[in-house]
Amino acid sequence: MRILVTNDDGIFSPGLLALAEVASRFGQVRVVAPDVEQSAMGHAITILRPLQYHRTPLGPFEAYRVNGTPADCVALGLHHWDGADLVLSGVNLGSNLGHDIWHSGTVAAAKQAVLLGVRAAAFSTVLTADGPNFQPLIPYMEQVVRLLLSLPGLCLVNVNLPPNPCGIRWTRQSVRAYSGEVIPGADPMGRPHYWFSARPLTDPEENTDRWAVEHGWISLTPLRLDLTDTGWLERIEPKEILF
Ligand code: MN
């Protein structure tokens, strides 16, 4: 099995190395990842300038760094490897729960793989005060990959790991609102600048991704690319307005 590994924290992130190590237990690994951090770049692709990539030493792995986004890395990586059997993205330094999924470069890399016909999973872990310790998470990640591979029809999964997981739980995406507050400040020259903050407004709903991780579970959320609100589409009448 050929596994393409990428992330959005950049090629030198310790989370990427941990995921590549897990992937190497299942097949041949190639790493293609951004040369600098691309967190919260979402599903951006680079179309106004050319992309380049360079061979990069990364433990025992064949690895390349790209001057592009996570989605670019997946597109380039699959192109130059003539496809792959699986794409794994992460492990992100910080969880990707609820609305994070909209902004996440980690999840976008997995989405890009599915757009190109390759099944994929995004891995993220909670940031703690002393930083994530990936070594103890590796056996859990291996168990998750084994579980995902046992479900061949399942194409896109968002995985979030708490520090000391009590088990694995299938969840749905939390859709609680966040404040989206814009906080003004000033640079050293006195020029105004702004920080965008995303503070949650409500507690997480039971059995969602965020709720599960807060309760110590590894959260597995099956995702789909079709965003259609099927409830509304079925309900709305008439379905055509002819001119
Ligand atoms: Mn990130």
Side-chain angles (χ1 to χ4, degrees):
M1 179 183 295
R2 295 178 311 146
I3 305 172
L4 183 73
V5 178
T6 190
N7 75 348
D8 78 355
D9 293 330
I11 190 129
F12 299 113
S13 169
L16 179 70
L17 198 58
L19 189 57
E21 191 181 325
V22 171
S24 70
R25 298 177 185 182
F26 294 89
Q28 189 190 348
V29 171
R30 188 180 284 189
V31 175
V32 181
D35 56 0
V36 294
E37 181 167 353
Q38 298 280 330
S39 290
M41 292 300 282
H43 208 137
I45 54 171
T46 302
I47 57 168
L48 296 177
R49 59 171 177 82
L51 293 166
Q52 294 182 318
Y53 64 136
H54 300 281
R55 188 78 192 250
T56 298
L58 194 75
F61 303 109
E62 183 187 348
Y64 303 88
R65 65 184 191 276
V66 177
N67 61 340
T69 65
D72 291 333
C73 292
V74 170
L76 266 182
L78 292 177
H79 174 78
H80 281 108
W81 211 8
D82 196 21
D85 301 300
L86 175 68
V87 170
L88 298 178
S89 178
V91 179
N92 191 59
L93 298 167
S95 54
N96 275 307
L97 302 164
H99 288 312
D100 300 337
I101 292 172
W102 292 102
H103 308 298
S104 168
T106 308
V107 178
K111 281 156 55 194
Q112 183 65 28
V114 177
L115 277 176
L116 296 173
V118 179
R119 58 188 312 215
F123 284 76
S124 306
T125 189
V126 175
L127 265 187
T128 53
D130 42 352
N133 185 4
F134 289 105
Q135 224 50 41
L137 290 178
I138 283 177
Y140 298 111
M141 292 197 285
E142 186 179 342
Q143 197 176 337
V144 167
V145 172
R146 187 162 291 115
L147 174 61
L148 297 180
L149 290 175
S150 75
L151 303 165
L154 184 60
C155 287
L156 181 58
V157 179
N158 186 34
V159 181
N160 279 273
L161 300 111
N164 297 297
C166 63
I168 292 170
R169 200 171 176 112
W170 291 93
T171 61
R172 61 191 163 83
Q173 179 184 5
S174 166
V175 290
R176 68 177 181 171
Y178 63 68
S179 73
E181 214 178 328
V182 175
I183 298 160
D187 74 7
M189 308 300 285
R191 293 171 294 209
H193 64 197
Y194 303 91
W195 289 97
F196 183 75
S197 74
R199 290 204 188 89
L201 295 174
T202 52
D203 289 333
E205 319 88 310
E206 204 169 323
N207 295 324
T208 60
D209 50 6
R210 193 175 295 279
W211 179 92
V213 168
E214 284 183 9
H215 287 79
W217 297 91
I218 297 173
S219 168
L220 269 56
T221 308
L223 300 178
R224 60 181 180 189
L225 296 181
D226 180 357
L227 298 176
T228 310
D229 186 336
T230 47
W232 262 106
L233 185 61
E234 276 163 25
R235 214 158 50 238
I236 205 152
E237 288 296 344
K239 293 232 185 326
E240 298 178 335
I241 299 167
L242 201 61
F243 296 120

